[in-house]
Amino acid sequence: MEISTSELRGVEVFEVRGEIDHSNAGRLSSAVDEPLERGDEVIVLDLSEVDYIDSGGVSVLLSTVRRLRNRGWLGVVNPNANVRRLLEIVGLTVDHGFRLFSDRTEAEDAIEEVIGNEQGKR
Amino acid sequence: MTKEANSYCRQIGVEASPENLREVRRFVEEVSRDLQLEGDDGYDLKVAVSEAAANAIEHSGADSFLDVCVTQHPDDRLTFEISDEGDFHLSPRKPEQAGGRGLGLPLMVALMDEVRIYRNSRGGTTVSLTLFLGGQQRETA
């Protein structure tokens, strides 16, 4: 598994490639830990290049959603059909703190909405 | 045992280490190719077997081995048996792992048609995962 980061409208995007399993899920957990600790409201994982995820990886997503609760959401971009099915089985896709996007443009629109709402509050 | 009883049977043994989960998954992929599994079956097996192996690795001691054996029965049941030298634990040992390890068994149950866990006569635990190929059982579920 490889992880690289980029930014989308000020939100950290983690691009993951390869297989996420029990042997390496800890690295993904450490990666998302930084924005979580910093208090970021939105975290995005681009899973386009992930061909396998197991409960070790799913648990990192679940715990990220839990930690973002009442604060924001975790977005996942373009998981393949198999990965997506696992996320559905564990109930992630119906969680209010989880957003599924088919591409980055969709994710960007959702982030802009958050930014718009914040500006509206001020 | 007659040849007809098991139309397909393969086995691998790996050291019980998380780094070997990939090797276990490559083995399941080979089996899926050999048997020309269709649809989601291959992926479902890969996840379920890998989860069972991860569980076995966690609960096996150092320097222990993991054995994965696959058998296709004449009635089109495909069974993977993952055997280790440790004791199966339903609940995670450490509370901080609660999010992860606790998900393995529910995933196996969700993806397979039958999941059995039993203690071996020689010690250790076997997780048996069965899929009914052809999908008749699964469609009615």
Side-chain angles (χ1 to χ4, degrees):
Chain A
M1 178 191 68
E2 287 170 45
I3 305 170
S4 55
T5 54
S6 59
E7 212 187 272
L8 194 62
R9 307 281 292 170
V11 165
E12 195 147 12
V13 180
F14 295 88
E15 289 135 14
V16 192
R17 279 177 297 282
E19 299 184 318
I20 312 173
D21 71 6
H22 289 282
S23 73
N24 59 27
R27 280 201 285 129
L28 181 61
S29 177
S30 306
V32 295
D33 209 42
E34 200 183 310
L36 281 170
E37 288 294 316
R38 197 166 53 210
D40 286 12
E41 292 171 22
V42 174
I43 294 175
V44 173
L45 298 180
D46 187 333
L47 300 187
S48 307
E49 303 294 326
V50 169
D51 27 56
Y52 177 85
I53 190 167
D54 73 2
S55 67
V58 168
S59 76
V60 174
L61 305 196
L62 284 168
S63 112
T64 305
V65 167
R66 208 162 36 233
R67 289 173 69 184
L68 285 171
R69 185 94 56 216
N70 303 325
R71 169 167 125 199
W73 43 264
L74 168 72
V76 163
V77 177
N78 192 28
N80 75 28
N82 288 320
V83 170
R84 185 183 173 140
R85 200 155 48 86
L86 279 202
L87 303 184
E88 282 167 3
I89 288 172
V90 299
L92 252 179
T93 49
V94 291
D95 195 298
H96 293 304
F98 181 88
R99 306 273 184 93
L100 195 62
F101 304 113
S102 56
D103 55 35
R104 282 195 174 224
T105 313
E106 264 188 24
E108 196 175 354
D109 290 346
I111 292 167
E112 274 177 9
E113 207 173 296
V114 173
I115 296 169
N117 287 342
E118 274 172 9
Q119 285 169 346
K121 278 184 214 159
R122 281 181 197 140
Chain B
M1 195 177 284
T2 63
K3 202 180 174 185
E4 289 73 28
N6 298 326
S7 52
Y8 182 90
C9 185
R10 281 186 65 181
Q11 193 166 3
I12 57 156
V14 296
E15 215 174 296
S17 144
E19 284 69 40
N20 286 331
L21 286 174
R22 278 177 74 95
E23 194 178 333
V24 170
R25 290 199 294 274
R26 296 299 86 83
F27 173 71
V28 180
E29 283 170 2
E30 279 174 30
V31 170
S32 299
R33 272 197 298 273
D34 280 357
L35 298 176
Q36 296 177 311
L37 297 186
E38 290 172 352
D40 299 330
D41 287 352
Y43 192 84
D44 290 356
L45 280 166
K46 190 162 76 170
V47 175
V49 173
S50 188
E51 291 294 346
N55 205 304
I57 287 164
E58 200 203 347
H59 303 298
S60 297
D63 300 322
S64 63
F65 281 85
L66 187 69
D67 191 69
V68 183
C69 176
V70 55
T71 309
Q72 185 184 22
H73 306 276
D75 60 0
D76 250 7
R77 275 180 303 126
L78 185 66
T79 300
F80 275 83
E81 288 177 309
I82 300 93
S83 303
D84 65 47
E85 297 162 6
D87 294 320
F88 189 91
H89 292 259
L90 271 180
S91 52
R93 268 182 195 166
K94 299 175 195 162
E96 63 266 29
Q97 292 175 334
R101 295 300 191 271
L103 272 178
L105 187 62
L107 273 183
M108 291 180 231
V109 170
L111 297 171
M112 295 291 100
D113 289 315
E114 188 183 281
V115 177
R116 291 173 60 215
I117 299 159
Y118 50 91
R119 194 156 300 176
N120 302 320
S121 51
R122 290 171 294 149
T125 307
T126 294
V127 175
S128 163
L129 305 167
T130 296
L131 197 61
F132 294 95
L133 301 177
Q136 300 95 325
Q137 295 278 338
R138 317 193 80 207
E139 279 162 17
T140 55

